[in-house]
Structure formats: C-alpha cells, structure tokens
C-alpha cells in the first residue's frame, strides 16, 4: 500500500471545518499527536526516491511505529506501520539499532472523509494550520491519476491551491530550527 497526498496551508481551521460540515462531512474528535522522526544519517537527509524515514507516533493513547519510503513523486510514499505498546521503548529501539532522532512534530488533528478522500485538518506547533487530502491505494495504482483526483477535490472544497505546500511537517520544522 502507498499513500498519495497533497497538503495546503489554510488560514482558519474552524472556518474550513464548517465548510466541510456543510458538505455533509462528520468531523472526528481532536487527536493530539507527537511524532519523533528518525533517519539513518542526521547529516545526510534527502527526500529522494528510496529514502527511508522512521516515525514513532503517539496519537492520544495509541502508539505506532512507522516506516515511509519515498516514491518517484514527492506526494507518494510506501508505508508500513504497526502498533507498539510504549512510545519511549520504540524511540529507544530506533536509537539502539543506529537511527538518529531528527525532529519532533506536535500537532492537533481532526479528520473526515469526502468522496473516498481522507481529509486531515492539522494545527501544527511552530507552523500553523494545514489541510491534507490523501488516498491510500494499492502499489500498482498510478500516482498521476490520484493526484488529479486530489486536485479536483481541492477545487470542489474551495481550497486555495496556490497555497499547496511541497514539504513535510518534519522538513519545515527542521528548516525553521536550523
């Protein structure tokens, strides 16, 4: 499986959520997420095809370990994730096997679905408000077809597509803290 997504900066989460509710979307409860991102070499970080990032996520009371490998287009990644019992032990494990903690991302997230598209509305500490439009698809699905579907949904929802963000939250925080 791989996820294909686009992210846009938005001005006001509450107004956007109201717009989604006007489209009949049911909004989830707020999830408080804390992500620790790990890389194999802290001095050589690239988002190129084949690059690997590991993440430990605490999402309210749920804890996951996740690996993401970047595909040929920036918006696509192959992903493997599973639940673990301890945030601290998962972080310790990654450090033990030689990965280095690169950055930490803290956010509040709500989500919904619209026309089979997963929509996440995030308030990210240090960065502001964002909306992500995402599909999780089989590995053989063409990214270009899904990216077109995402563009169509963004326009339909009135998202200012000029404010598309071409970086991940971890990259933006790392740049800000550099």
């Amino acid at each position: 499986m791989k996820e294909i997504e686009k992210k846009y900066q938005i001005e006001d989460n509450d107004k956007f959520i109201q717009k989604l509710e006007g489209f009949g979307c049911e909004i989830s409860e707020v999830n408080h997420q804390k992500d620790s991102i790990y890389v194999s070499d802290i001095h050589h970080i690239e988002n190129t095809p084949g690059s690997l990032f590991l993440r430990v996520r605490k999402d309210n009371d749920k804890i996951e370990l996740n690996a993401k490998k970047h595909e040929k287009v920036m918006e696509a990644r192959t992903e493997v994730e599973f639940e673990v019992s301890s945030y601290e032990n998962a972080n310790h494990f990654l450090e033990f096997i030689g990965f280095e903690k690169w950055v930490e991302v803290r956010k509040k997230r709500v989500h919904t679905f619209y026309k089979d598209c997963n929509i996440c509305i995030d308030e990210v500490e240090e960065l502001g408000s964002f909306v992500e439009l995402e599909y999780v698809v089989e590995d053989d699905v063409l990214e270009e077809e899904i990216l077109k579907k995402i563009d169509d949904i963004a326009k339909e929802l009135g998202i200012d597509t000029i404010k598309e963000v071409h970086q991940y939250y971890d990259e933006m925080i790392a740049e800000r803290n550099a």
Side-chain angles (χ1 to χ4, degrees), residues 24-76:
C25 297
E26 291 185 31
I27 308 300
S28 72
E29 294 294 321
V30 175
N31 288 358
H32 297 268
Q33 295 181 340
K34 177 180 166 184
D35 296 347
S36 294
I37 312 299
Y38 287 83
V39 294
S40 60
D41 183 354
I42 200 100
H43 302 291
H44 187 74
I45 298 168
E46 295 184 70
N47 277 328
T48 57
S51 60
L52 180 66
F53 292 80
L54 302 179
R55 175 184 73 199
V56 180
R57 170 173 283 169
K58 184 172 180 22
D59 186 347
N60 291 342
D61 293 328
K62 183 178 177 184
I63 302 151
E64 295 176 334
L65 184 57
N66 174 293
K68 294 183 183 220
K69 186 181 282 188
H70 292 273
E71 298 288 329
K72 65 183 176 223
V73 295
M74 183 343 194
E75 297 89 352

Side-chain angles (χ1 to χ4, degrees), residues 21 36-37 41 50 57 100 110 131-132 150 166 168 174 177:
E21 289 172 334
S36 294
I37 312 299
D41 183 354
R57 170 173 283 169
E100 298 176 81
V110 296
V131 60
E132 292 183 356
I150 291 173
H166 296 281
Y168 300 107
N177 294 336

Side-chain angles (χ1 to χ4, degrees), residues 96-114:
F96 181 78
I97 62 171
F99 283 83
E100 298 176 81
K101 188 173 185 179
W102 175 41
V103 70
E104 193 169 271
V105 179
R106 294 174 185 260
K107 65 182 172 281
K108 294 178 188 173
R109 170 174 278 184
V110 296
H111 63 86
T112 189
F113 292 94
Y114 180 71

Side-chain angles (χ1 to χ4, degrees), residues 71-150:
E71 298 288 329
K72 65 183 176 223
V73 295
M74 183 343 194
E75 297 89 352
R77 298 174 291 192
T78 302
E79 186 172 328
V80 175
E81 70 183 16
F82 53 91
E83 201 165 329
V84 295
S85 61
S86 168
Y87 184 82
E88 292 76 17
N89 287 345
N91 280 280
H92 179 70
F93 172 77
L94 292 179
E95 291 168 359
F96 181 78
I97 62 171
F99 283 83
E100 298 176 81
K101 188 173 185 179
W102 175 41
V103 70
E104 193 169 271
V105 179
R106 294 174 185 260
K107 65 182 172 281
K108 294 178 188 173
R109 170 174 278 184
V110 296
H111 63 86
T112 189
F113 292 94
Y114 180 71
K115 294 188 175 179
D116 297 326
C117 182
N118 185 34
I119 301 174
C120 297
I121 302 102
D122 296 329
E123 184 64 37
V124 184
E125 282 185 20
E126 301 182 47
L127 299 178
S129 300
F130 299 86
V131 60
E132 292 183 356
L133 305 179
E134 172 187 86
Y135 285 91
V136 178
V137 297
E138 297 295 330
D139 290 339
D140 60 348
V141 172
L142 293 174
E143 288 91 358
E144 293 77 16
E145 292 174 12
I146 301 302
L147 292 170
K148 170 73 170 93
K149 284 176 75 171
I150 291 173

